[in-house]
Amino acid sequence: MSKVRVATTSLAGCFGCHMSFLDMDERIVGLLEHVEFSRSPINDIKHCEPCDIGLVEGALCNADNVHVLREFRENCKILIAVGACAINGGVPAMRNHFSLQECLEEAFLDEIGVDNPHIPNDVEIPLLLSKVHPLHEVVKVDYYLPGCPPPADAFVKILTDLLEGREPALPKNMLHYD
């Protein structure tokens, strides 16, 4: 029996969802009997290859985030938005209350202790979006794994359900928003 290919990525966020994923501890070894990781922080593969399940954490703040998300949607049979940032923009979306210009000026010109104040303009820096977006505003999302971050048990449950051919269903006691 072939293994299910899983890819993960972190867009604009804190990487907390990936840390929670790794909190599966020894259960990840059992999971590896059934899955193989394509792109993930475990193997440092840079592009999403065709896979069965894509786990995406983080919001969309720049053009690179959008490119990576579209690559995931194109290559993943099932796409799961993981965590508050992916689902509703989370903390990064707090900047949506201000214009992009105001954010750049605050960070690079007006902040206390800024040496050589100027707004960076380099082709190596991804182009910022005018607003932060959750994943579903750009691509079709198949499932949502809520939380900030979702607990490791929720990752185990959603992946186990999918591996066993069941529609994922997370019990309310497994969901935490603190």
Side-chain angles (χ1 to χ4, degrees), residues 144-146 153-155 157-158 161 168-175:
Y144 297 87
L145 184 56
D153 290 341
F155 281 100
K157 177 74 167 95
I158 198 167
D161 283 352
L170 298 174
K172 288 189 190 273
N173 67 345
M174 194 174 282
L175 303 176

Side-chain angles (χ1 to χ4, degrees), residues 38-50:
S38 177
R39 177 185 168 149
S40 80
I42 295 171
N43 57 24
D44 200 33
I45 293 173
K46 299 298 184 199
H47 294 282
C48 184
E49 300 166 351

Side-chain angles (χ1 to χ4, degrees), residues 18-38:
H18 270 85
M19 296 306 294
S20 184
F21 179 81
L22 295 173
D23 280 345
M24 286 191 280
D25 299 326
E26 69 276 354
R27 292 178 291 179
I28 204 165
V29 175
L31 189 62
L32 288 173
E33 294 177 17
H34 306 284
V35 305
E36 66 176 322
F37 287 100
S38 177

